[in-house]
Amino acid sequence: MLPFAAAAAVCSLLAVAADEAPVRLVRCGHLMAVPGREPLDNVTVVVKGDRIDAVVPGFDTRIDGATEVDWRNDWVMPGFIDCHVHLSMFFDQTVRPRYTTESSELVAIKATQYAKVTLEAGFTTVRDLGATDTNAIFALRDAINKGYVVGPRILTAGHAIAVTGGHGDSTLGYRPGLFPEQTPADGIADGPDECMKAVRAQVKLGADCIKLTATGGVLSTSSAGLAKHFSDAELKAIVDTAHAMGRRVAAHAHGLDGINAAIVAGVDSIEHGTFLDDSSVKLMKERGTYHVPTLLAAQTVFDNAAKPGYYLPMVAAKARLVGPKAREMFRRSHEAGVKIAFGTDTGVSEHGLNAREFGLMVDEGMKPMEAIRSATVVASELLGIDKEVGTIEAGKAADLVAVAGNPLEDIRRLEHVAGVMKAGAVIRP
């Protein structure tokens, strides 16, 4: 490990008495302040209020009124970021009847619990990419921001934007007349004009980003496959409208034709990317498109498809196809140097198990430090919040995670975090 340098530059901090904001001195045995750089040994992170004030060598720093967080025996790194979750959903075998029986209030209460276990697992920021009940997800985001409930920082897309009858049309497979006619306000859009209106409707509701379903999906009750759904003109309308309104765009995409069309249209990230090929990789590198592989979701649906009756037959057929292909896709993308941001599609898998994605990424050739970087530095850049989170540096939000043991030697240590701090508040222990 490299020694911590430039101590003299922060000496003046040691004599500064605590102001009105609470002060915490986080004693770190090993600190990955900026994942990708050499870790630091025996340092103190000075936290004032919800911000990191300084990173100081040694454990001698004293500030009047400060409390200590003892992570001297742990490895500490920035709070993790999951770029693809569904906090208001859980796709088990009861999902279809639940959609017709659960109230918006119950969905919101369950989402609050899902948010809590996600934060306790070390994920201090998430991007929620599609909710069937936007009232629930927007209320949860706002309640967390105001401190009413405990959960990660949430950026949410509201409704995913989909074609009629496509992946994202939540009325698929139900009898006609059971639900009201779906409109652009519900994310269902056909033709460029409706696509523009759907984007504007989500922004009006309060969406932080836009999610579109460029292809079919595994869990939709459809035998229409995994190929392209939107026309090129529709994709361009969605992306151009979102960017004009200051929102980044994530594209759910499995089939090759939909992946490449979405990249050409200018989306900011490809989610899944199961059947990408060398042409997709070339386009992503040329255009700076991020890839969010969601290996945990692919593994989960593949495993569940082996359970008799867990999925409807057309869903199980797609799940069996996607599972093995996802690993090949990830290796191709990673080896080519595409920018990979961490994302799990949790909600497909059980909430709170997000860190299992790290092990799957490392199993397929990514180095442990690269995997950690994908969930911190790279993820924050994709979401456009790298000035706020992603590293442990002065001025940023005090989001920290501690684990017992060296995750660079065993990445699966990240599945069992020992400590979590979000915005200066100690969540665990």
Side-chain angles (χ1 to χ4, degrees):
M1 303 300 175
L2 292 178
F4 190 77
V10 296
C11 283
S12 60
L13 290 168
L14 310 187
V16 177
D19 55 19
E20 294 182 1
V23 178
R24 298 185 190 276
L25 303 176
V26 186
R27 312 300 193 185
C28 307
H30 311 281
L31 178 68
M32 297 184 201
V34 181
R37 299 181 190 172
E38 193 76 12
L40 310 170
D41 287 335
N42 300 329
V43 296
T44 296
V45 179
V46 181
V47 174
K48 290 189 177 181
D50 63 354
R51 299 278 128 184
I52 297 164
D53 190 65
V55 179
V56 184
F59 299 142
D60 295 331
T61 305
R62 297 287 182 271
I63 297 178
D64 291 344
T67 58
E68 291 201 6
V69 178
D70 186 2
W71 289 343
R72 288 176 174 88
N73 296 321
D74 298 324
W75 285 73
V76 182
M77 59 211 80
F80 303 137
I81 302 167
D82 191 330
C83 295
H84 193 138
V85 303
H86 300 279
L87 287 176
S88 62
M89 304 178 189
F90 181 38
F91 292 93
D92 64 2
Q93 65 269 45
T94 70
V95 64
R96 288 178 59 73
R98 282 193 284 106
Y99 184 53
T100 64
T101 59
E102 288 186 344
S103 67
S104 179
E105 292 82 1
L106 181 57
V107 170
I109 290 170
K110 289 171 68 175
T112 301
Q113 178 61 23
Y114 294 151
K116 180 174 182 288
V117 299
T118 300
L119 178 59
E120 290 173 344
F123 289 83
T124 53
T125 301
V126 299
R127 182 175 61 166
D128 190 284
L129 286 183
T132 54
D133 192 323
T134 55
N135 288 336
I137 194 61
F138 288 130
L140 177 61
R141 177 198 61 189
D142 296 345
I144 290 171
N145 287 345
K146 293 177 180 178
Y148 300 149
V149 296
V150 174
R153 185 180 294 99
I154 298 174
L155 282 71
T156 181
H159 285 299
I161 298 175
V163 300
T164 298
H167 184 67
D169 184 340
S170 56
T171 67
L172 268 175
Y174 295 99
R175 66 171 175 80
L178 184 61
F179 299 103
E181 186 73 21
Q182 301 293 283
T183 70
D186 303 303
I188 304 305
D190 303 295
D193 288 345
E194 284 197 353
C195 287
M196 287 190 288
K197 189 170 185 178
V199 171
R200 292 167 179 164
Q202 300 316 304
V203 174
K204 179 180 178 179
L205 287 170
D208 305 294
C209 54
I210 296 296
K211 193 304 190 54
L212 66 90
T213 57
T215 72
V218 174
L219 295 180
S220 51
T221 311
S222 170
S223 58
L226 299 171
K228 180 181 175 184
H229 277 181
F230 284 105
S231 70
D232 291 345
E234 289 170 329
L235 288 170
K236 181 173 173 53
I238 293 169
V239 174
D240 287 354
T241 305
H243 286 170
M245 301 187 82
R247 302 305 193 271
R248 299 190 179 194
V249 183
H252 157 105
H254 287 291
L256 175 63
D257 54 354
I259 293 170
N260 288 359
I263 298 169
V264 170
V267 300
D268 298 282
S269 65
I270 293 293
E271 313 295 310
H272 319 305
T274 309
F275 291 91
L276 60 74
D277 68 3
D278 290 343
S279 66
S280 315
V281 167
K282 184 173 184 291
L283 283 170
M284 282 194 279
K285 293 187 71 175
E286 288 175 351
R287 296 167 181 262
T289 313
Y290 289 77
H291 184 199
V292 182
T294 66
L295 294 178
L296 181 57
Q299 186 65 52
T300 298
V301 299
F302 181 75
D303 292 344
N304 288 341
K307 304 172 185 176
Y310 194 94
Y311 292 138
L312 293 173
M314 74 280 283
V315 172
K318 291 181 285 185
R320 286 191 290 268
L321 180 67
V322 162
K325 194 68 179 176
R327 290 176 177 263
E328 176 188 331
M329 161 273 294
F330 177 80
R331 290 193 298 270
R332 185 193 298 263
S333 179
H334 173 245
E335 289 169 5
V338 172
K339 293 186 290 187
I340 294 178
F342 186 101
T344 62
D345 206 0
T346 290
V348 174
S349 55
E350 185 179 342
H351 293 277
L353 303 182
N354 312 55
R356 291 185 177 181
E357 183 82 14
F358 287 113
L360 294 172
M361 297 166 85
V362 171
D363 287 347
E364 298 308 319
M366 184 174 265
K367 294 179 180 178
M369 183 64 89
E370 288 181 283
I372 295 169
R373 183 176 169 82
S374 78
T376 53
V377 176
V378 181
S380 70
E381 292 170 350
L382 167 58
L383 303 190
I385 55 174
D386 49 304
K387 297 290 192 293
E388 178 74 6
V389 296
T391 62
I392 299 173
E393 297 178 286
K396 291 193 174 183
D399 292 2
L400 287 74
V401 174
V403 297
N406 186 352
L408 301 179
E409 296 176 353
D410 179 5
I411 194 67
R412 286 182 167 84
R413 291 184 182 277
L414 301 182
E415 297 175 19
H416 309 284
V417 300
V420 179
M421 175 182 286
K422 181 207 167 189
V426 178
I427 308 301
R428 292 186 69 176

